[in-house]
Amino acid sequence: MRIENIRSTERFGSVRINDVQKVLELDSGKTENSPVGAPTGIKIHDEVIRSLEGQMAIVIPVKDEKLQLFEGVISGVPHDCSLIVVSNSSRKKVDRFRLEKDTLEQFCRHAQRSAYIIHQKDAAIAEIAKQAGYTDLIGEDGLVRNGKSEGMVIGLLMAMVLGKKYIGFIDADNYFPGAVLEYVKSYAAGFSMSTSPYAMVRILWRYKPKFAGRLYFKKWGRVSETTNKYLNSLLSAATGFETDIIKTGNAGEHAMTIKLAEILPYASGYAVEPQEIVSILEQSGAVLPAPYPTVAKHGIDVFQIETKNPHLHEEKGVVHLLDMLRSGLSAIHQSQLANSTIKKMIITELVKQEALQPDETLPPPHINRPLRKVDLKSAQTLLRQRLEDYSVSPKP
Amino acid sequence: MRIENIRSTERFGSVRINDVQKVLELDSGKTENSPVGAPTGIKIHDEVIRSLEGQMAIVIPVKDEKLQLFEGVISGVPHDCSLIVVSNSSRKKVDRFRLEKDTLEQFCRHAQRSAYIIHQKDAAIAEIAKQAGYTDLIGEDGLVRNGKSEGMVIGLLMAMVLGKKYIGFIDADNYFPGAVLEYVKSYAAGFSMSTSPYAMVRILWRYKPKFAGRLYFKKWGRVSETTNKYLNSLLSAATGFETDIIKTGNAGEHAMTIKLAEILPYASGYAVEPQEIVSILEQSGAVLPAPYPTVAKHGIDVFQIETKNPHLHEEKGVVHLLDMLRSGLSAIHQSQLANSTIKKMIITELVKQEALQPDETLPPPHINRPLRKVDLKSAQTLLRQRLEDYSVSPKP
């Protein structure tokens, strides 16, 4: 793979947010190309990507997705990655979790690889969370709460038990296995450029095709634009210099070093991705005191990589978009970095976009604490004992 | 990459047509996986794929495609392949060829690679064809005729001059660079399985999404189904056993060894891909005498590989489909293998599908002779002298 060089970086305390880097070539070949003039791109060698993939878990949160899509997505995940599926699919009437497990098993048999699949409502995983004191994760029914971020936390715990160094998330509703492959290679490309054990890679889609009579290749969604605007305003307000560096506030496709992942909180619902950025900025030491000296010393690298493939996924409708907008902005609104002007602008925006009633107060998102804050050691020990229950291996 | 094992093969004289093999995994990793039980798939190692790519030219015929699509397609071609663009785009009003060349140049600069681009109406290439006695290629205006197959022949000649061993074709109207990458890897996978210097790989799309209110994933197009049916009938009529082995009669995405490419004729228009199969069957020695003893000795391997990625491309409308149907069936109709029953069925089919008037005779396709039949040596010498004119290299 070849991607653009880092063109500019915004520094905010110990955090380095790099401007978008485009993927230039999906496959940059084995030959050493002697650079002519100043190279605009960086070649990430296969061996480097492969070695990072071997240390990476790819977590795929699933909720009642079409099986054809699920099957395509898993087939795009490079073989050397550990594949972890966290499903919150319906088990009533048709046991969709069972169908997903069957699909995964068949894939593993064909591809001669192993994988893990766990249901979000698995009683054992709820028990483990409770024993570790991670009650944030538990709902009224005593099981893990619904939601993508709670699924992400389960995946993260699994990745830790598997001894992985990196974790990447990929949504299960993608139509193109080739796009999934590019996400993972981009994650690896990002990590290969990082100089810190605390790093994050966020994917920017080149286009998001829409069907309006003909195919229309949208570059920016309204929700993303708004979320990015207010995330950037947190930076601008603190530094006094306006910026538009953050372009991936809602990036569902993103990856982290496990070291970074364990110190971040996970907001429920669609707040999860913007909340990660908010938390990174809060921990930068630029405004608030930096909570972790080691993190402050190394700094946090954020990479934003624009893929070559368009992103074509299942359409979920307008309600979903308003919910996304509201949740994302609530994460920014509740931040200690948000001054009263930003808070007011967010409320006005939400009312204008009809995502909030004029007399309604914006509730903060439910936050699942960082894993570092719970009894991680006992959680890992308990999960390790049960790991086999969630394992899918090719059978003879 | 990992693909399905060959499940069955139809042998027709010295030709081996293998049943469809599905891609199982886009990236099968570096780790050696010890097979458990009988492996259903074949792992094609990166090194093998890379080595084949280094000997492969990828030819992209272009005709007034959107530049965004063109740019995406070229960025999906693996770096180690030689990239050859043959354009027949309009040069009036807006010089689209110039825009394509600019796009290609920018890409080559970013990706630090070289490529070739030639216009189908280039006077020098017409002159070379004439000098080699390849008048089939020349139209009334003294230049190379319009049409994809004539562009393919130019690409083939370039690939020969570059000393390549394999040639693959990829259409320029594809929305997904990741699909392009998969086509090339599939070509390499096919060649890696071949035991003959005469081999062909044809791509079967997993789905071809259509927009009918929502996205609908079509597996079979009406045209493809009909073309395949009559191609199979050529086989069935000769052997007395019905078969449906041919599933890629209209495959625009296909690749060949140069040795095979130079003994095949190239029919004009949409007849080109079905004609290749017809010619391969004719040369099999099963019914007609085999014209080339060396080919008969080694045999011809045909692989059909089903990709993981759906095929999403520009819609060209109904007229285009009828033209495709008519051209494809005309190639089968004029074959010496087509008996009177098949000929009659084809005419009935075309009239039924309103691609032919009841009183109309079906004209045979225009055929450009195999390159082996012209003065290939002088064509190559002449083209080699002009090669620099068509070269695009990263500039300092």
Side-chain angles (χ1 to χ4, degrees):
Chain A
M1 172 169 274
R2 190 185 306 266
I3 71 168
E4 271 185 322
N5 248 320
I6 298 174
R7 285 169 306 157
S8 73
T9 305
E10 289 266 358
R11 289 172 181 81
F12 188 70
S14 65
V15 174
R16 294 174 291 270
I17 304 176
N18 298 296
D19 205 350
V20 170
Q21 296 167 265
K22 292 183 187 183
V23 173
L24 298 172
E25 225 182 8
L26 293 183
D27 177 334
S28 59
K30 74 169 169 207
T31 46
E32 263 316 320
N33 345 103
S34 52
V36 179
T40 49
I42 309 167
K43 173 174 169 153
I44 323 282
H45 289 271
D46 279 5
E47 300 70 39
V48 173
I49 293 180
R50 289 246 179 269
S51 145
L52 289 161
E53 283 169 355
Q55 305 170 69
M56 197 183 301
I58 294 297
V59 173
I60 300 178
V62 191
K63 188 168 182 357
D64 300 325
E65 307 298 346
K66 291 183 185 142
L67 284 176
Q68 291 90 337
L69 296 189
F70 173 64
E71 199 270 333
V73 167
I74 57 180
S75 72
V77 177
H79 190 98
D80 294 343
C81 298
S82 293
L83 180 54
I84 301 168
V85 178
V86 184
S87 168
N88 198 16
S89 296
S90 162
R91 308 198 66 169
K92 286 174 194 151
K93 288 187 196 153
V94 178
D95 186 349
R96 292 196 61 85
F97 176 65
R98 171 68 186 275
L99 299 180
E100 287 156 5
K101 199 173 170 185
D102 284 352
T103 305
L104 185 63
E105 264 169 5
Q106 187 176 54
F107 169 68
C108 285
R109 196 165 60 245
H110 287 158
Q112 295 283 310
R113 68 194 272 177
S114 58
Y116 296 88
I117 184 166
I118 182 168
H119 197 277
Q120 198 153 333
K121 298 297 180 184
D122 184 86
I125 196 77
E127 196 46 48
I128 290 169
K130 284 179 212 160
Q131 299 235 3
Y134 203 175
T135 46
D136 331 20
L137 219 57
I138 306 298
E140 285 173 9
D141 57 0
L143 299 174
V144 172
R145 293 159 48 97
N146 289 322
K148 181 179 163 186
S149 57
E150 286 75 7
M152 286 167 62
V153 171
I154 295 176
L156 178 53
L157 208 51
M158 295 274 270
M160 286 172 166
V161 169
L162 294 172
K164 294 292 152 175
K165 206 171 153 191
Y166 306 98
I167 183 165
F169 300 97
I170 291 179
D171 290 342
D173 63 350
N174 199 304
Y175 281 112
F176 278 82
V180 171
L181 184 69
E182 189 187 13
Y183 297 149
V184 179
K185 304 279 174 201
S186 300
Y187 294 162
F191 292 129
S192 79
M193 289 181 295
S194 176
T195 54
S196 166
Y198 304 91
M200 175 179 270
V201 185
R202 300 173 79 91
I203 299 294
L204 176 65
W205 303 323
R206 186 171 153 78
Y207 299 109
K208 203 170 151 182
K210 300 278 168 190
F211 316 109
R214 62 178 191 132
L215 257 187
Y216 177 73
F217 283 79
K218 260 184 101 59
K219 173 95 190 161
W220 298 104
R222 198 186 52 179
V223 173
S224 298
E225 243 177 313
T226 314
T227 311
N228 290 335
K229 178 179 155 189
Y230 290 102
L231 282 172
N232 282 311
S233 73
L234 291 184
L235 274 176
S236 308
T239 63
F241 290 86
E242 285 210 331
T243 182
D244 62 351
I245 193 90
I246 298 171
K247 297 190 178 73
T248 53
N250 285 312
E253 266 72 38
H254 66 289
M256 291 175 267
T257 58
I258 296 283
K259 272 183 190 292
L260 175 59
E262 73 177 42
I263 60 168
L264 289 183
Y266 296 92
S268 288
Y270 295 112
V272 60
E273 289 96 357
Q275 176 67 52
E276 288 169 1
I277 297 270
V278 169
S279 299
I280 286 174
L281 296 180
E282 285 176 350
Q283 297 186 18
S284 68
V287 176
L288 311 166
Y292 304 108
T294 331
V295 181
K297 186 185 137 211
H298 291 288
I300 301 176
D301 284 323
V302 178
F303 299 94
Q304 307 180 92
I305 298 184
E306 183 185 295
T307 54
K308 270 276 143 207
N309 284 293
H311 184 82
L312 188 61
H313 71 152
E314 283 277 284
E315 286 299 331
K316 301 241 169 82
V318 177
V319 179
H320 154 89
L321 285 181
L322 285 183
D323 186 11
M324 203 165 170
L325 183 73
R326 185 183 154 115
S327 303
L329 293 195
S330 81
I332 305 171
H333 185 266
Q334 59 76 43
S335 168
Q336 291 174 270
L337 294 176
N339 60 29
S340 61
T341 316
I342 294 175
K343 280 181 201 275
K344 221 151 97 185
M345 279 165 63
I346 286 175
I347 299 296
T348 310
E349 181 82 51
L350 285 172
V351 170
K352 196 182 84 190
Q353 298 211 21
E354 296 180 2
L356 191 75
Q357 297 298 316
D359 51 356
E360 198 181 348
T361 46
L362 181 63
H366 173 86
I367 302 269
N368 301 296
R369 274 174 299 163
L371 276 170
R372 177 80 74 89
K373 303 275 188 191
V374 305
D375 184 358
L376 191 49
K377 211 169 157 189
S378 75
Q380 285 180 281
T381 310
L382 291 168
L383 183 56
R384 193 170 291 115
Q385 288 162 5
R386 303 201 68 104
L387 205 58
E388 263 315 295
D389 298 351
Y390 310 122
S391 160
V392 173
S393 294
K395 292 189 183 63
Chain B
M1 172 170 270
R2 190 184 307 266
I3 71 169
E4 271 184 323
N5 248 321
I6 297 172
R7 285 169 305 157
S8 72
T9 305
E10 289 266 357
R11 288 171 182 82
F12 188 72
S14 65
V15 174
R16 295 174 289 270
I17 304 176
N18 297 295
D19 205 349
V20 170
Q21 295 167 267
K22 291 184 188 183
V23 172
L24 298 173
E25 222 180 10
L26 294 183
D27 177 334
S28 59
K30 75 170 169 205
T31 45
E32 264 315 321
N33 344 102
S34 52
V36 179
T40 49
I42 309 166
K43 173 174 169 154
I44 322 283
H45 288 272
D46 279 4
E47 300 70 40
V48 173
I49 292 179
R50 289 244 178 269
S51 146
L52 289 161
E53 283 169 354
Q55 305 170 71
M56 196 184 300
I58 294 297
V59 173
I60 302 179
V62 190
K63 189 169 180 2
D64 301 324
E65 308 298 346
K66 290 183 185 140
L67 284 176
Q68 291 89 337
L69 297 188
F70 173 65
E71 199 272 330
V73 167
I74 56 180
S75 72
V77 177
H79 190 99
D80 295 344
C81 299
S82 294
L83 179 54
I84 301 169
V85 178
V86 184
S87 168
N88 198 15
S89 296
S90 163
R91 308 199 65 171
K92 285 173 196 152
K93 287 187 198 152
V94 178
D95 186 348
R96 292 196 61 85
F97 176 64
R98 171 67 187 276
L99 299 180
E100 288 156 6
K101 199 174 170 187
D102 284 351
T103 305
L104 185 63
E105 264 169 6
Q106 187 175 56
F107 168 68
C108 285
R109 199 166 57 245
H110 287 160
Q112 296 283 310
R113 67 194 275 180
S114 58
Y116 297 87
I117 184 166
I118 183 168
H119 198 277
Q120 200 154 335
K121 298 298 181 183
D122 183 86
I125 196 78
E127 196 45 48
I128 291 169
K130 283 177 210 164
Q131 298 234 4
Y134 202 175
T135 46
D136 330 21
L137 218 55
I138 306 297
E140 286 174 9
D141 57 359
L143 299 173
V144 171
R145 292 160 48 98
N146 289 322
K148 182 180 164 186
S149 56
E150 285 75 7
M152 287 168 60
V153 172
I154 295 175
L156 177 52
L157 208 50
M158 295 274 270
M160 286 172 166
V161 170
L162 294 173
K164 294 290 151 174
K165 205 170 154 192
Y166 306 98
I167 184 167
F169 299 97
I170 291 180
D171 289 342
D173 63 350
N174 199 304
Y175 280 112
F176 278 82
V180 172
L181 184 68
E182 190 187 11
Y183 297 150
V184 179
K185 304 279 173 201
S186 300
Y187 294 162
F191 293 130
S192 78
M193 292 180 293
S194 175
T195 54
S196 166
Y198 304 91
M200 177 179 267
V201 184
R202 300 173 78 92
I203 299 293
L204 177 65
W205 303 323
R206 184 169 154 78
Y207 299 109
K208 203 171 151 182
K210 300 276 170 194
F211 315 109
R214 60 177 193 135
L215 259 187
Y216 177 73
F217 283 80
K218 258 185 103 59
K219 174 94 191 162
W220 300 104
R222 197 187 55 180
V223 173
S224 298
E225 241 176 315
T226 314
T227 310
N228 291 334
K229 177 179 156 190
Y230 291 101
L231 281 172
N232 282 311
S233 74
L234 290 184
L235 274 175
S236 307
T239 62
F241 290 85
E242 284 210 333
T243 180
D244 62 352
I245 193 90
I246 298 171
K247 297 189 177 75
T248 54
N250 285 311
E253 266 71 40
H254 65 290
M256 292 176 264
T257 58
I258 297 282
K259 272 182 191 292
L260 175 59
E262 73 176 44
I263 60 169
L264 289 184
Y266 296 92
S268 287
Y270 295 112
V272 59
E273 289 94 0
Q275 176 67 50
E276 289 168 0
I277 297 269
V278 169
S279 299
I280 287 175
L281 297 179
E282 285 176 351
Q283 297 187 19
S284 68
V287 177
L288 313 165
Y292 303 109
T294 331
V295 182
K297 186 185 138 212
H298 290 289
I300 301 176
D301 283 323
V302 178
F303 299 93
Q304 305 180 94
I305 299 186
E306 183 184 296
T307 55
K308 271 276 145 208
N309 285 291
H311 183 82
L312 188 63
H313 71 152
E314 283 276 284
E315 286 298 332
K316 300 238 171 79
V318 176
V319 179
H320 154 90
L321 286 180
L322 285 183
D323 186 11
M324 203 164 170
L325 183 73
R326 185 183 155 116
S327 303
L329 294 196
S330 79
I332 306 170
H333 186 266
Q334 59 76 45
S335 168
Q336 291 174 270
L337 294 176
N339 60 29
S340 61
T341 317
I342 294 176
K343 280 181 199 278
K344 220 152 97 187
M345 278 164 63
I346 286 176
I347 299 297
T348 311
E349 180 82 51
L350 285 173
V351 170
K352 196 182 84 189
Q353 297 210 22
E354 298 181 1
L356 192 75
Q357 297 298 318
D359 51 356
E360 200 182 346
T361 47
L362 181 64
H366 172 86
I367 301 270
N368 300 297
R369 276 172 299 162
L371 276 170
R372 177 79 75 90
K373 303 276 187 190
V374 305
D375 183 358
L376 191 49
K377 210 169 159 190
S378 74
Q380 285 180 283
T381 309
L382 291 167
L383 183 55
R384 192 171 292 116
Q385 289 163 4
R386 304 203 65 106
L387 204 59
E388 264 314 295
D389 299 352
Y390 310 122
S391 161
V392 172
S393 294
K395 289 185 187 66

